[in-house]
Amino acid sequence: MATECMMNSGRDSTQRVEFGCSEESMVPEKFVWPDEFKPKEGLPELQVPHIDLQKFLSGNQSDIEETIRLVDEACKKHGFFLLVNHGVDMELVKKLHECMEEFFTFPFDVKQKAQRKFGENFGYANSFIGRFSNKLPWKETLSVPYVADHQKSTAHDFIFQIYGNELSHHGKVYQECGEVLSELGLKIVELLGLCLGVPKEKFRKIYEDNESIMRLNYYPPCEKPELTLGTGPHCDPTSITILHQDHVSGLQVYVDDEWHTIPPTTDSFVINIGDTFMALTNGVYKSCLHRAVVNCKESRKSMAFFLNPAADKVVRAPDEVVEKNPPRKFPDFTWPMLLELTQKFYRSDSNTLKAFIPWLEEQQKLAKDTNTAPPL
Ligand SMILES: C=C1C[C@]23C[C@H]1CC[C@H]2[C@]1(C)CCC[C@@](C)(C(=O)O)[C@H]1[C@@H]3C(=O)O
Ligand SMILES: O=C(O)CCC(=O)C(=O)O
Ligand SMILES: [Fe+2]
C-alpha cells in the first residue's frame, strides 16, 4: 500500500509522537512538516461563488452580468470559484475515480513502471523523495499529458506506451476526461475574458491548442495527519485549474492571513487561477496559496486538470488589461519556461512568479553571452 511504501522510503528516521488518531505510530521524519506548516482544526469555510455555467451561457443579460460580477470579484480577491451545472457528464468523472482507485491500489512495482524521472512532468510519483529532501507530501500522484491537438498525442497513447493494452481502459477514460475538461477550460477563459473586457476570442486562441496536465492525486490515510500535509502550500504555476475532489475534505486556501476550507461537492468543480493566468491578467486576477490536508480514516482522491498554453504561445497580458492597470508587471514568457523552473530549480510556493522573473532574465542573459537562442 502507498502508506507502507512511503513509510519504507522514509524509515531511516522517524519521530515518535504523542497525539493524533492512534497512540503508538510513526511518521517518517521527512514527512513531518515544521510547526508553522502543520494543519489546524476548526477552520472557516471559504465563501466562494457558485457559478452556474449553463445559466451564464444561455441566460438573459442580467444572468450574464451577475455571473461576471461574481467571477470578477472572486478572481480579484483569491482566484477561486465553484462551477456548477457545468455540462460535464459526472458518470465519466466517476469512471475516472474508479481508474484512480484501481491504479493507486496496484502493487508498487506496477505503479513504478510509470515512474516519473527527475525533470520530467509526467508519470507516477510517490513521496517525492527524489525531488525534495524534507517536507514531503503525503500522497502519490499520476500526471498524464493532455494535448488538445490529438494529431500530436493522446493521454491514451501515454498510458499505452507504459502498460500496453493492460490499462487501455484507463487511457481511454483519461483522454475522454481531458477532452471535456479542455472544452470546459476554453469556456472558462472566455468567461474570464468577458470579465476583464478582453475579446473572448483572444484568450480562447491562447488555449484552444492547449498542452495540459491531468494530475491524479491519491492521499493515503495517515496515522498522524496533524504532522504532515498531502500537498504543501503552493500557488499553481499553471493557468487555470479545474479540480474535482472526491467526498473526502482536504482542500484549504489561504485568504486574509488565514487558512480556509473548500468542502468537497462531488457534482461541481473547483476552479482556481494559476500564476500563468495571473501574469496574463497583469496581476489583476490572483493565483492564491492553497494546500491539501490528510486524515487518519480514509484515503482521499482529487483530479486537477491544469490548463496550459501550447509550448510556443507567448504569455503576454493583453493591452486592454494593461491600459486599465498600468504598468506592465511581467516579462513575456512561455509556459515551458515557468514549468522548467518549477521542475528543476524551484519548489512552487506563493513566490514562484517573483522567483521566475530574475531567473528568466538570467536565462536570457546567459543565452546572449553564449550566443545561443534566447529562451523566448
Ligand atoms: C506544473 C505543475 C507542477 C505541480 C503540478 C502542476 C501544477 C501544481 C504543481 C504542484 C502540485 C505544486 C505543489 C508542489 C508539487 C511538486 C506537488 O506537490 O505535486 C507541484 C507539482 C509538480 O511539480 O509536480
Ligand atoms: O488535492 C487537492 O484538493 C488540491 C491539489 C492541488 O492543489 C494540486 O494538485 O495542485
Ligand atoms: Fe494546486
mmCIF file with all atom_site columns, all heavy atoms in Angstrom, residues 116-127:
data_model
loop_
_atom_site.group_PDB
_atom_site.id
_atom_site.type_symbol
_atom_site.label_atom_id
_atom_site.label_alt_id
_atom_site.label_comp_id
_atom_site.label_asym_id
_atom_site.label_entity_id
_atom_site.label_seq_id
_atom_site.pdbx_PDB_ins_code
_atom_site.Cartn_x
_atom_site.Cartn_y
_atom_site.Cartn_z
_atom_site.occupancy
_atom_site.B_iso_or_equiv
_atom_site.pdbx_formal_charge
_atom_site.auth_seq_id
_atom_site.auth_comp_id
_atom_site.auth_asym_id
_atom_site.auth_atom_id
_atom_site.pdbx_PDB_model_num
ATOM 1  N N   . ARG A 1 116 ? 7.997  8.599  -12.664 1.00 0.00 ? 116 ARG A N   1
ATOM 2  C CA  . ARG A 1 116 ? 8.366  9.903  -13.218 1.00 0.00 ? 116 ARG A CA  1
ATOM 3  C C   . ARG A 1 116 ? 9.827  10.161 -12.892 1.00 0.00 ? 116 ARG A C   1
ATOM 4  O O   . ARG A 1 116 ? 10.233 10.062 -11.759 1.00 0.00 ? 116 ARG A O   1
ATOM 5  C CB  . ARG A 1 116 ? 7.463  10.934 -12.552 1.00 0.00 ? 116 ARG A CB  1
ATOM 6  C CG  . ARG A 1 116 ? 7.558  12.313 -13.081 1.00 0.00 ? 116 ARG A CG  1
ATOM 7  C CD  . ARG A 1 116 ? 6.499  13.170 -12.383 1.00 0.00 ? 116 ARG A CD  1
ATOM 8  N NE  . ARG A 1 116 ? 6.819  14.579 -12.483 1.00 0.00 ? 116 ARG A NE  1
ATOM 9  C CZ  . ARG A 1 116 ? 6.131  15.514 -11.841 1.00 0.00 ? 116 ARG A CZ  1
ATOM 10 N NH1 . ARG A 1 116 ? 5.132  15.187 -11.043 1.00 0.00 ? 116 ARG A NH1 1
ATOM 11 N NH2 . ARG A 1 116 ? 6.454  16.775 -11.985 1.00 0.00 ? 116 ARG A NH2 1
ATOM 12 N N   . LYS A 1 117 ? 10.607 10.540 -13.893 1.00 0.00 ? 117 LYS A N   1
ATOM 13 C CA  . LYS A 1 117 ? 12.037 10.779 -13.665 1.00 0.00 ? 117 LYS A CA  1
ATOM 14 C C   . LYS A 1 117 ? 12.262 12.267 -13.384 1.00 0.00 ? 117 LYS A C   1
ATOM 15 O O   . LYS A 1 117 ? 11.461 13.109 -13.766 1.00 0.00 ? 117 LYS A O   1
ATOM 16 C CB  . LYS A 1 117 ? 12.834 10.311 -14.881 1.00 0.00 ? 117 LYS A CB  1
ATOM 17 C CG  . LYS A 1 117 ? 12.668 8.783  -15.085 1.00 0.00 ? 117 LYS A CG  1
ATOM 18 C CD  . LYS A 1 117 ? 13.245 8.309  -16.388 1.00 0.00 ? 117 LYS A CD  1
ATOM 19 C CE  . LYS A 1 117 ? 12.958 6.825  -16.572 1.00 0.00 ? 117 LYS A CE  1
ATOM 20 N NZ  . LYS A 1 117 ? 11.462 6.560  -16.653 1.00 0.00 ? 117 LYS A NZ  1
ATOM 21 N N   . PHE A 1 118 ? 13.392 12.556 -12.710 1.00 0.00 ? 118 PHE A N   1
ATOM 22 C CA  . PHE A 1 118 ? 13.681 13.945 -12.340 1.00 0.00 ? 118 PHE A CA  1
ATOM 23 C C   . PHE A 1 118 ? 13.633 14.856 -13.571 1.00 0.00 ? 118 PHE A C   1
ATOM 24 O O   . PHE A 1 118 ? 14.181 14.533 -14.619 1.00 0.00 ? 118 PHE A O   1
ATOM 25 C CB  . PHE A 1 118 ? 15.065 14.072 -11.679 1.00 0.00 ? 118 PHE A CB  1
ATOM 26 C CG  . PHE A 1 118 ? 15.380 15.500 -11.304 1.00 0.00 ? 118 PHE A CG  1
ATOM 27 C CD1 . PHE A 1 118 ? 14.785 16.077 -10.182 1.00 0.00 ? 118 PHE A CD1 1
ATOM 28 C CD2 . PHE A 1 118 ? 16.195 16.289 -12.117 1.00 0.00 ? 118 PHE A CD2 1
ATOM 29 C CE1 . PHE A 1 118 ? 15.030 17.402 -9.844  1.00 0.00 ? 118 PHE A CE1 1
ATOM 30 C CE2 . PHE A 1 118 ? 16.436 17.625 -11.792 1.00 0.00 ? 118 PHE A CE2 1
ATOM 31 C CZ  . PHE A 1 118 ? 15.861 18.188 -10.657 1.00 0.00 ? 118 PHE A CZ  1
ATOM 32 N N   . GLY A 1 119 ? 12.917 15.976 -13.411 1.00 0.00 ? 119 GLY A N   1
ATOM 33 C CA  . GLY A 1 119 ? 12.851 16.930 -14.528 1.00 0.00 ? 119 GLY A CA  1
ATOM 34 C C   . GLY A 1 119 ? 11.749 16.608 -15.512 1.00 0.00 ? 119 GLY A C   1
ATOM 35 O O   . GLY A 1 119 ? 11.396 17.417 -16.359 1.00 0.00 ? 119 GLY A O   1
ATOM 36 N N   . GLU A 1 120 ? 11.153 15.405 -15.372 1.00 0.00 ? 120 GLU A N   1
ATOM 37 C CA  . GLU A 1 120 ? 10.049 15.057 -16.282 1.00 0.00 ? 120 GLU A CA  1
ATOM 38 C C   . GLU A 1 120 ? 8.727  15.483 -15.659 1.00 0.00 ? 120 GLU A C   1
ATOM 39 O O   . GLU A 1 120 ? 8.606  15.547 -14.443 1.00 0.00 ? 120 GLU A O   1
ATOM 40 C CB  . GLU A 1 120 ? 10.024 13.538 -16.531 1.00 0.00 ? 120 GLU A CB  1
ATOM 41 C CG  . GLU A 1 120 ? 11.087 13.086 -17.513 1.00 0.00 ? 120 GLU A CG  1
ATOM 42 C CD  . GLU A 1 120 ? 10.937 11.590 -17.843 1.00 0.00 ? 120 GLU A CD  1
ATOM 43 O OE1 . GLU A 1 120 ? 9.998  10.945 -17.317 1.00 0.00 ? 120 GLU A OE1 1
ATOM 44 O OE2 . GLU A 1 120 ? 11.772 11.088 -18.592 1.00 0.00 ? 120 GLU A OE2 1
ATOM 45 N N   . ASN A 1 121 ? 7.748  15.766 -16.521 1.00 0.00 ? 121 ASN A N   1
ATOM 46 C CA  . ASN A 1 121 ? 6.492  16.316 -15.982 1.00 0.00 ? 121 ASN A CA  1
ATOM 47 C C   . ASN A 1 121 ? 5.433  15.264 -15.794 1.00 0.00 ? 121 ASN A C   1
ATOM 48 O O   . ASN A 1 121 ? 4.410  15.523 -15.152 1.00 0.00 ? 121 ASN A O   1
ATOM 49 C CB  . ASN A 1 121 ? 5.942  17.378 -16.963 1.00 0.00 ? 121 ASN A CB  1
ATOM 50 C CG  . ASN A 1 121 ? 7.025  18.367 -17.364 1.00 0.00 ? 121 ASN A CG  1
ATOM 51 O OD1 . ASN A 1 121 ? 7.802  18.777 -16.511 1.00 0.00 ? 121 ASN A OD1 1
ATOM 52 N ND2 . ASN A 1 121 ? 7.127  18.689 -18.634 1.00 0.00 ? 121 ASN A ND2 1
ATOM 53 N N   . PHE A 1 122 ? 5.619  14.067 -16.425 1.00 0.00 ? 122 PHE A N   1
ATOM 54 C CA  . PHE A 1 122 ? 4.519  13.112 -16.426 1.00 0.00 ? 122 PHE A CA  1
ATOM 55 C C   . PHE A 1 122 ? 4.950  11.765 -15.859 1.00 0.00 ? 122 PHE A C   1
ATOM 56 O O   . PHE A 1 122 ? 6.136  11.415 -15.892 1.00 0.00 ? 122 PHE A O   1
ATOM 57 C CB  . PHE A 1 122 ? 4.001  12.934 -17.864 1.00 0.00 ? 122 PHE A CB  1
ATOM 58 C CG  . PHE A 1 122 ? 3.535  14.222 -18.474 1.00 0.00 ? 122 PHE A CG  1
ATOM 59 C CD1 . PHE A 1 122 ? 4.234  14.815 -19.517 1.00 0.00 ? 122 PHE A CD1 1
ATOM 60 C CD2 . PHE A 1 122 ? 2.417  14.889 -17.964 1.00 0.00 ? 122 PHE A CD2 1
ATOM 61 C CE1 . PHE A 1 122 ? 3.820  16.031 -20.052 1.00 0.00 ? 122 PHE A CE1 1
ATOM 62 C CE2 . PHE A 1 122 ? 1.995  16.098 -18.492 1.00 0.00 ? 122 PHE A CE2 1
ATOM 63 C CZ  . PHE A 1 122 ? 2.702  16.682 -19.538 1.00 0.00 ? 122 PHE A CZ  1
ATOM 64 N N   . GLY A 1 123 ? 3.957  11.035 -15.342 1.00 0.00 ? 123 GLY A N   1
ATOM 65 C CA  . GLY A 1 123 ? 4.232  9.704  -14.797 1.00 0.00 ? 123 GLY A CA  1
ATOM 66 C C   . GLY A 1 123 ? 3.819  9.625  -13.337 1.00 0.00 ? 123 GLY A C   1
ATOM 67 O O   . GLY A 1 123 ? 3.143  10.499 -12.797 1.00 0.00 ? 123 GLY A O   1
ATOM 68 N N   . TYR A 1 124 ? 4.247  8.510  -12.720 1.00 0.00 ? 124 TYR A N   1
ATOM 69 C CA  . TYR A 1 124 ? 3.885  8.207  -11.334 1.00 0.00 ? 124 TYR A CA  1
ATOM 70 C C   . TYR A 1 124 ? 4.954  8.734  -10.387 1.00 0.00 ? 124 TYR A C   1
ATOM 71 O O   . TYR A 1 124 ? 6.155  8.581  -10.637 1.00 0.00 ? 124 TYR A O   1
ATOM 72 C CB  . TYR A 1 124 ? 3.744  6.684  -11.173 1.00 0.00 ? 124 TYR A CB  1
ATOM 73 C CG  . TYR A 1 124 ? 3.630  6.213  -9.743  1.00 0.00 ? 124 TYR A CG  1
ATOM 74 C CD1 . TYR A 1 124 ? 2.459  6.393  -9.014  1.00 0.00 ? 124 TYR A CD1 1
ATOM 75 C CD2 . TYR A 1 124 ? 4.724  5.633  -9.098  1.00 0.00 ? 124 TYR A CD2 1
ATOM 76 C CE1 . TYR A 1 124 ? 2.365  5.984  -7.690  1.00 0.00 ? 124 TYR A CE1 1
ATOM 77 C CE2 . TYR A 1 124 ? 4.635  5.227  -7.778  1.00 0.00 ? 124 TYR A CE2 1
ATOM 78 C CZ  . TYR A 1 124 ? 3.464  5.398  -7.077  1.00 0.00 ? 124 TYR A CZ  1
ATOM 79 O OH  . TYR A 1 124 ? 3.366  5.003  -5.765  1.00 0.00 ? 124 TYR A OH  1
ATOM 80 N N   . ALA A 1 125 ? 4.470  9.353  -9.295  1.00 0.00 ? 125 ALA A N   1
ATOM 81 C CA  . ALA A 1 125 ? 5.435  9.806  -8.270  1.00 0.00 ? 125 ALA A CA  1
ATOM 82 C C   . ALA A 1 125 ? 4.850  9.484  -6.898  1.00 0.00 ? 125 ALA A C   1
ATOM 83 O O   . ALA A 1 125 ? 3.656  9.649  -6.666  1.00 0.00 ? 125 ALA A O   1
ATOM 84 C CB  . ALA A 1 125 ? 5.673  11.309 -8.391  1.00 0.00 ? 125 ALA A CB  1
ATOM 85 N N   . ASN A 1 126 ? 5.715  8.999  -6.000  1.00 0.00 ? 126 ASN A N   1
ATOM 86 C CA  . ASN A 1 126 ? 5.234  8.842  -4.617  1.00 0.00 ? 126 ASN A CA  1
ATOM 87 C C   . ASN A 1 126 ? 6.293  9.435  -3.704  1.00 0.00 ? 126 ASN A C   1
ATOM 88 O O   . ASN A 1 126 ? 7.466  9.444  -4.031  1.00 0.00 ? 126 ASN A O   1
ATOM 89 C CB  . ASN A 1 126 ? 4.994  7.378  -4.304  1.00 0.00 ? 126 ASN A CB  1
ATOM 90 C CG  . ASN A 1 126 ? 6.272  6.704  -3.856  1.00 0.00 ? 126 ASN A CG  1
ATOM 91 O OD1 . ASN A 1 126 ? 7.312  6.907  -4.485  1.00 0.00 ? 126 ASN A OD1 1
ATOM 92 N ND2 . ASN A 1 126 ? 6.203  5.945  -2.786  1.00 0.00 ? 126 ASN A ND2 1
ATOM 93 N N   . SER A 1 127 ? 5.908  10.026 -2.681  1.00 0.00 ? 127 SER A N   1
ATOM 94 C CA  . SER A 1 127 ? 6.739  10.591 -1.609  1.00 0.00 ? 127 SER A CA  1
ATOM 95 C C   . SER A 1 127 ? 7.658  11.706 -2.117  1.00 0.00 ? 127 SER A C   1
ATOM 96 O O   . SER A 1 127 ? 8.112  12.521 -1.351  1.00 0.00 ? 127 SER A O   1
ATOM 97 C CB  . SER A 1 127 ? 7.590  9.494  -0.940  1.00 0.00 ? 127 SER A CB  1
ATOM 98 O OG  . SER A 1 127 ? 8.709  9.164  -1.758  1.00 0.00 ? 127 SER A OG  1
#
